[in-house]
Amino acid sequence: MERVFNFNPGPAVLPLEALKEAQAEFLNYKNTGMSILEISHRSKEAEAMLQETKNTIKELWGIPDNYKILFLQGGASSQFFMVPMNLAGEKTVDYVITGTWSEKALEEANILKKKTNVVYTSKETNYDRVPKPSELQFSKDAAYVHITTNNTIFGTQWHYLPETNGIPLVMDMSSDALSYPIDFKNIGLIYAGAQKNLGPAGVTLVIIREDLLARVPKELPTMLKYTTHEKNDSLYNTPPVFAIYMVGLVAKWLKNIGGIKKIKEINEEKAKIIYDAIDNSNGFYKGHAQKDSRSLMNITFTLANKDLEGKFDKEATAIGLVGLKGHRSVGGMRASIYNAMPIEGCQKLAEFMNDFAKKNK
Ligand SMILES: *Cc1c(COP(=O)(O)O)cnc(C)c1O
């Protein structure tokens, strides 16, 4: 069977090159006579793989030396509580609410009875945008400012990083990590569940600025302290070796195609193809996100005639364009076009959209 173009929001498309490389060494990893699934996480092969994965990510994204890279479990959802538990202390914590995932992050901080402050929300307009810089006023002595850089469900994305004037910025980058260069100036912590843009489910990438480790309260359970994982280089307990290995192969693929600047250009080109199909459809398709907040990763749109949405999905699937059904909070369609989605997938989708509009108007 031929492979399809997979527009699922996550778990999501992975680079064919990375899958093939994993397949080629699946039964016998680096002459151990064992699969990577079977080797000890303390073997020299596994440790070397882990270091190499970290190094590739660090090099790709230009992560400064004073940041630690951790591979944790429990998904991005566990970072919703680990962040406030470890970093908030008694101070106010600022949250910018741009969708379901930031709501959930805020909720965990509230469960922990932290002093939360909602700096901004676009809930009234069903999260169709992210704030402009002028709409943001942070608490003076906030412990951190939390933002969701790409709103996977609503299809919006920040196209700048807010100036927090030294307050550590905590960013949920689950659906756009490693897709554009960033300036680490104000960044305190980045987290990302791997299964959107980095690899398979099972591992969460955490990048934390060293000085923030001093805030971690001693009384937290061992597994919930960033310091535990930092001290033990993500090997305090058994890490998800296979998932980390796949993240490493994806990172290597990114490096081979030209790195983060290059992937940003490619992503811009890819997204434009689909947004053009929306904008040139004379109202047949309507984008959910306001134009200056449009995501390069998740493109959300509805059909003017809602009754056609089922048909759209069915016919797209029949020609190998799968996973386009939108999330229930927006309705309509969502095309997730992460780093690994080839440009051909976007071209084929745009062609299909044009044809479908012509036939059904
Ligand atoms: C998917 C997603 C999450 C949740 O990730 P899990 O790893 O499933 O916990 C959190 N934030 C964003 C932005 C997401 O897209």
Side-chain angles (χ1 to χ4, degrees):
M1 189 202 161
E2 259 184 67
R3 282 177 58 82
V4 296
F5 289 115
N6 175 4
F7 292 94
N8 274 300
V13 55
L14 290 169
L16 190 58
E17 290 81 347
L19 292 173
K20 280 187 174 157
E21 197 172 343
Q23 184 185 45
E25 56 187 12
F26 190 68
L27 296 181
N28 182 2
Y29 183 69
K30 310 255 188 229
N31 277 322
T32 56
M34 293 177 277
S35 171
I36 182 110
L37 287 169
E38 300 171 299
I39 64 174
S40 164
H41 56 294
R42 309 220 181 264
S43 61
K44 69 176 192 318
E45 290 82 11
E47 291 212 27
M49 179 280 291
L50 206 129
Q51 289 314 320
E52 194 186 329
T53 302
K54 281 200 332 192
N55 292 341
T56 312
I57 291 171
K58 183 167 187 233
E59 183 193 330
L60 264 174
W61 227 356
I63 302 172
D65 290 337
N66 61 328
Y67 288 79
K68 300 289 181 185
I69 299 175
L70 312 176
F71 298 112
L72 306 186
Q73 297 188 63
S77 300
S78 292
Q79 294 310 305
F80 296 165
F81 59 80
M82 273 183 80
V83 164
M85 268 181 160
N86 281 272
L87 305 182
E90 299 298 311
K91 286 176 149 186
T92 301
V93 286
D94 279 359
Y95 280 77
V96 182
I97 308 299
T98 50
T100 310
W101 298 114
S102 24
E103 280 179 3
K104 289 191 171 176
L106 171 69
E107 194 178 314
E108 296 300 305
N110 281 328
I111 289 172
L112 292 164
K113 302 202 160 40
K114 297 298 176 187
K115 280 184 231 153
T116 55
N117 172 43
V118 172
V119 174
Y120 167 92
T121 175
S122 47
K123 192 182 175 78
E124 306 82 62
T125 52
N126 201 21
Y127 296 122
D128 64 347
R129 65 187 196 98
V130 300
K132 296 181 176 61
S134 60
E135 294 174 291
L136 295 170
Q137 185 106 51
F138 303 117
S139 305
K140 264 209 188 62
D141 62 341
Y144 59 79
V145 173
H146 182 282
I147 72 170
T148 313
T149 51
N150 185 71
N151 298 282
T152 324
I153 293 175
F154 295 93
T156 64
Q157 188 175 26
W158 293 65
H159 296 294
Y160 69 97
L161 292 186
E163 178 50 78
T164 56
N165 291 311
I167 304 169
L169 195 52
V170 172
M171 313 207 292
D172 177 357
M173 298 193 77
S174 293
S175 49
D176 67 351
L178 293 184
S179 70
Y180 51 90
I182 50 175
D183 176 359
F184 278 80
K185 190 180 72 166
N186 287 310
I187 291 173
L189 186 146
I190 290 171
Y191 63 90
Q195 71 276 17
K196 277 34 181 274
N197 205 23
L198 298 175
V203 65
T204 308
L205 173 71
V206 171
I207 302 168
I208 181 168
R209 206 175 67 202
E210 229 165 27
D211 61 288
L212 296 181
L213 292 165
R215 295 188 186 182
V216 176
K218 290 201 177 50
E219 61 272 18
L220 292 184
T222 311
M223 278 295 286
L224 298 186
K225 287 195 270 217
Y226 289 126
T227 41
T228 300
H229 302 288
E230 189 274 325
K231 270 190 214 120
N232 294 280
D233 216 350
S234 302
L235 285 164
Y236 172 74
N237 71 327
T238 320
V241 173
F242 188 75
I244 298 169
Y245 160 75
M246 284 306 306
V247 169
L249 294 186
V250 172
K252 205 166 88 182
W253 165 80
L254 262 178
K255 197 171 136 180
N256 289 341
I257 65 164
I260 302 292
K261 268 202 196 123
K262 183 70 190 171
I263 198 71
K264 180 177 188 239
E265 283 168 26
I266 297 173
N267 287 333
E268 282 167 348
E269 194 183 340
K270 277 156 48 183
K272 184 174 186 306
I273 294 170
I274 300 172
Y275 283 122
D276 280 351
I278 295 172
D279 294 340
N280 299 331
S281 72
N282 282 320
F284 189 88
Y285 304 107
K286 183 179 177 300
H288 175 70
Q290 293 192 18
K291 283 192 178 167
D292 51 5
S293 294
R294 281 178 163 178
S295 170
L296 299 183
M297 300 274 103
N298 309 95
I299 300 182
T300 46
F301 58 96
T302 51
L303 274 65
N305 178 357
K306 298 253 174 297
D307 296 340
L308 286 172
E309 288 176 352
K311 188 179 180 204
F312 179 98
D313 187 42
K314 208 170 141 210
E315 290 184 10
T317 305
I319 60 161
L321 304 169
V322 309
L324 288 164
K325 202 170 171 320
H327 189 275
R328 60 188 180 281
S329 13
V330 182
M333 303 293 145
R334 168 172 51 176
S336 297
I337 54 166
Y338 300 117
N339 286 352
M341 171 59 67
I343 192 157
E344 292 77 19
C346 299
Q347 285 159 343
K348 191 167 172 186
L349 174 58
E351 267 167 43
F352 169 75
M353 287 170 71
N354 295 337
D355 283 351
F356 188 87
K358 247 185 239 142
K359 286 189 192 134
N360 293 282
K361 90 171 147 217

